[in-house]
Amino acid sequence: MLNAKKIVVGITGGIAAYKTILLIRLLKKANAEVRVVMTPAAEAFVTPLTLQAISGNAVATSLLDPQAELAMGHIELAKWADMVVIAPATADFIARLRVGMGNDLLSTLCLATSAPIFIAPAMNQQMYKRSITQQNLQNLVNEQGVLCIEPESGEQACGDTGVGRMAEPETIFEFLTDYVKTAQDLQNITVTITAGPTQEAIDPVRYISNHSSGKMGFAIAKAFAERGAKVNLIAGAVKLDTPQNVKRFDTLSAIAMEQKALELAQQSDIFIGCAAVADYRVKEVATQKIKKTDDSDEMTLTLVKNPDIISNVAHLAQNRPFVVGFAAETQDLQKYAKSKLQRKNLDLICANDVSNGQVFNSDQNCLHLFSQKSDKILPLADKSKLAQTLVNEIIKLYKEKQ
Ligand code: C5P
């Protein structure tokens, strides 16, 4: 279950830190990739060198370490993580996490990540019982979606007996695998997604294209795959890594993309057209490089209309999937998006305002969703977070339609 999962293990200053070494061994045995982040107090209990040897990666300890920031900066680490597991989590760290402080590397990373955060509290039983600690924990779990691996009862290092001992490494490991297992609720769903720009050849060395980065489509593919869906990703001219457990098909032209899309859409439950397909292609692609001529300052290219891929998928007479489109608009967002919803026969359209030119290539986006019956705004967020919310919305509408 944890195979190839990227896990940040955060260690804060408690005696239970020695047990985290065993947790990391279990994670490594399960083929997870582990990067350890320690608070300064944690270093009083276990050494970075030990954790480096166990995790197989350099250990990050300081927010202001120029060397570490050069290697993998804190924001990069926050984005890298599929899961952030803080074990042990002290009362102090829990309090700081609750109020959103960013006064060390680990707390800053928690603020910056969109991955689920798990905490394994460990502290003296009286500190654990204390109402402020309980309030902090309740807020984190109920309001902020943090997952808490409950501490156990028993004899404590300080001599007290009561609840506050960190859960055993095996228990934490099981909690994480169970989480991944139950998060796989879309195993019976097949999704096909187009992403990125098409490239329309002019001659063997030149082409017409656009500024789409493909990031949104790739983020949606990742979000579906993380929930166990079978994902086909038809990529245009995109230089992005393929997300885990996603089947990628590289295409360049709209014609090639359409061919693959029609083939895969008919085997899919859901089709999402995220690609920025060129509206036109060059009528006759030159077989040799076109040469500059001296007799004229102008040259003319004749363009012909490309097929509308998503519209053709949405008008399939047989095996039509649930179809989701995108609309990047610079004006009259609602009017144009709704008319595309009708004209292209879509089930849902996700509109975004690109008038300020900040969506293409950006890591953030916000969307206005329109279906036949409803509309909803998904506020500005990291594309990865937004993709997770969007998957929920798509699944809700898809299930309503069944
Ligand atoms: O018409 P417009 O390009 O604004 O429509 C955007 C939506 O249509 C997106 O979902 C895009 O992927 C899809 N599209 C397509 N084939 C085209 C043009 C757009 O699939 N030729």
Side-chain angles (χ1 to χ4, degrees), residues 194 254 257 271-279 306-311 324-329 340 343-344 346 349:
T194 65
M257 185 177 270
F271 179 87
I272 305 172
C274 216
V277 184
D279 290 328
N306 264 330
D308 191 316
I309 302 173
I310 204 165
S311 179
V324 181
F326 276 75
E329 306 293 345
K340 277 178 196 169
R343 184 161 36 88
K344 299 191 186 216
L346 310 179
I349 192 147

Side-chain angles (χ1 to χ4, degrees), residues 88-343:
T90 58
D92 171 71
F93 189 81
I94 288 168
R96 289 194 286 122
L97 188 62
R98 184 216 165 145
V99 293
M101 294 194 52
N103 55 349
D104 61 17
L105 176 59
L106 188 56
S107 54
T108 309
L109 186 140
C110 289
L111 279 175
T113 193
S114 62
I117 299 174
F118 301 78
I119 51 172
M123 67 197 75
N124 165 272
Q125 51 88 23
Q126 197 57 45
M127 289 166 77
Y128 184 69
K129 259 199 270 178
R130 200 163 188 88
S131 103
I132 185 64
T133 305
Q134 287 303 315
Q135 282 172 38
N136 288 340
L137 281 168
Q138 272 161 26
N139 178 281
L140 283 172
V141 172
N142 298 331
E143 311 287 324
Q144 304 191 42
V146 169
L147 294 120
C148 179
I149 308 155
E150 300 290 338
E152 293 168 3
S153 177
E155 199 182 320
Q156 300 203 292
C158 55
D160 279 10
T161 303
V163 181
R165 283 166 58 97
M166 185 174 87
E168 292 302 322
E170 291 78 7
T171 312
I172 300 176
F173 179 79
E174 243 171 69
F175 191 101
L176 300 178
T177 46
D178 280 354
Y179 173 85
V180 173
K181 214 184 298 170
T182 50
Q184 304 269 306
D185 61 332
L186 302 182
Q187 281 181 6
N188 295 327
I189 302 271
T190 303
V191 190
T192 295
I193 302 165
T194 65
T198 61
Q199 259 182 24
E200 308 299 336
I202 297 172
D203 66 16
V205 294
R206 304 184 181 96
Y207 57 80
I208 298 172
S209 193
N210 60 68
H211 290 301
S212 166
S213 63
K215 283 181 186 168
M216 194 65 223
F218 273 58
I220 296 169
K222 180 169 186 270
F224 267 108
E226 278 171 355
R227 287 179 58 177
K230 290 182 197 69
V231 184
N232 302 313
L233 178 59
I234 307 172
V238 179
K239 288 196 191 75
L240 291 173
D241 292 338
T242 313
Q244 277 282 319
N245 300 323
V246 166
K247 216 166 168 189
R248 175 176 181 160
F249 301 87
D250 282 312
T251 56
L252 286 179
S253 66
I255 297 284
M257 185 177 270
E258 186 198 33
Q259 197 183 5
K260 204 73 214 166
L262 285 173
E263 173 198 328
L264 294 173
Q266 298 188 66
Q267 307 157 16
S268 302
D269 302 292
I270 299 171
F271 179 87
I272 305 172
C274 216
V277 184
D279 290 328
Y280 296 90
R281 67 179 181 279
V282 177
K283 190 173 179 191
E284 274 165 31
V285 180
T287 50
Q288 303 297 333
K289 187 178 170 192
I290 300 171
K291 292 285 176 203
K292 241 186 322 208
T293 51
D294 292 334
D295 53 352
S296 170
D297 286 341
E298 292 181 359
M299 81 166 286
T300 305
L301 284 175
T302 305
L303 304 180
V304 291
K305 229 183 202 153
N306 264 330
D308 191 316
I309 302 173
I310 204 165
S311 179
N312 291 344
V313 168
H315 283 97
L316 278 170
Q318 276 181 341
N319 302 326
R320 178 195 182 277
F322 182 89
V323 183
V324 181
F326 276 75
E329 306 293 345
T330 53
Q331 55 175 338
D332 286 334
L333 187 85
Q334 181 148 339
K335 191 176 108 198
Y336 286 126
K338 280 188 167 172
S339 91
K340 277 178 196 169
L341 181 75
Q342 305 303 343
R343 184 161 36 88

